[in-house]
Amino acid sequence: DETGYVLPAGRRDAWVEAVVKVKGLMDRDPRWMVSVRDTARRRIKERFGWDEAVEDLFERRPARKS
């Protein structure tokens, strides 16, 4: 995945498999981790930045009656 992996809690086999996969990807292309990191940071800023938080706040808040 381009931003990382979501793994089930308590499933040691899934975690081991993911670590082995990531290690292999990093060995083949050291820039892969930099790409994943940068993509994840960009998505976080786009989805969870202050502008989005304020927008969500006003969209969810009922309008006041005067």
Side-chain angles (χ1 to χ4, degrees):
D1 187 26
E2 60 187 25
T3 60
Y5 297 94
V6 176
L7 302 170
R11 290 271 319 276
R12 181 178 281 177
D13 59 321
W15 283 83
V16 170
E17 185 179 323
V19 168
V20 169
K21 185 175 182 178
V22 167
K23 174 77 169 97
L25 289 168
M26 290 172 58
D27 287 346
R28 283 193 302 276
D29 183 4
R31 296 170 300 183
W32 175 81
M33 183 59 81
V34 172
S35 174
V36 169
R37 180 198 65 203
D38 292 347
T39 302
R41 282 184 177 166
R42 187 173 48 255
R43 282 193 184 173
I44 288 168
K45 285 181 179 181
E46 289 170 359
R47 294 180 183 176
F48 305 107
W50 283 111
D51 292 340
E52 289 72 23
V54 170
E55 192 173 301
D56 285 350
L57 175 68
F58 285 105
E59 284 179 6
R60 293 180 189 168
R61 186 176 182 182
R64 287 188 176 182
K65 295 179 182 179
S66 15

